[in-house]
Amino acid sequence: NGYTVHLQSTIGAKIFRDSSSPCRRFMWIGGELHVRDLDFVGACSGGSGTCGGSAMWISTSGAVEAERCAFDGGATFCNNGGAIKVQGKLIATDCLFTGNKAVYWSGGAIDVVGGAELRCVNCAFSGNTAKGNGDSVLGASTATMDFTCTS
């Protein structure tokens, strides 16, 4: 509805899942979200239907700008995108993607579906795994992707 949400940490805050908690995605984004200096740790996505993207599922109407964020140890057990599934737009700057996994599918850290847009600037990918293709990123042939990252 034209609203933008801004989340920023000045003390190194973390959004995390206790290992005894049920497997649920942290965020589903259908609007505009700006996140800065936040760590997303141990996110988990399981079940069926709209699954994947344990920390974030960015819908076709969603747009996310992530700056200086860490996505660590996320896992999806039912679809692509261990940490993030992008159907809309993601701009990641100075972000770290470590230890994320797509247990049964592809896109260990990020899954970018057809028609979606991903731009990574000064991001690092390390230790991400996928049973299928793309240990770090899986991109559809009709997705727009731009990388200035390290791995």
Side-chain angles (χ1 to χ4, degrees), residues 29-86:
I29 297 105
E32 192 170 324
L33 175 67
H34 296 233
V35 290
R36 193 172 290 125
D37 301 313
L38 286 173
D39 293 349
F40 298 85
V41 181
C44 179
S45 178
S48 60
T50 55
C51 179
S54 64
M56 293 181 183
W57 179 302
I58 304 169
S59 74
T60 55
S61 61
V64 173
E65 290 184 22
E67 185 178 351
R68 296 183 307 272
C69 293
F71 298 87
D72 182 44
T76 183
F77 291 90
C78 55
N79 208 313
N80 300 328
I84 301 175
K85 186 171 193 87
V86 183

Side-chain angles (χ1 to χ4, degrees), residues 1-53:
N1 294 343
Y3 296 102
T4 301
V5 176
H6 297 268
L7 298 173
Q8 180 171 353
S9 168
T10 57
I11 58 170
K14 295 182 180 186
I15 297 173
F16 68 96
R17 181 184 70 86
D18 181 300
S19 61
S20 65
S21 299
C23 192
R24 297 283 187 262
R25 176 182 310 112
F26 287 165
M27 297 179 183
W28 185 90
I29 297 105
E32 192 170 324
L33 175 67
H34 296 233
V35 290
R36 193 172 290 125
D37 301 313
L38 286 173
D39 293 349
F40 298 85
V41 181
C44 179
S45 178
S48 60
T50 55
C51 179

Side-chain angles (χ1 to χ4, degrees), residues 86 88 111-118 137-146:
V86 183
D111 175 34
V112 187
V113 303
E117 182 180 341
L118 169 66
V137 178
L138 174 68
S141 61
T142 56
T144 302
M145 296 190 293
D146 179 20

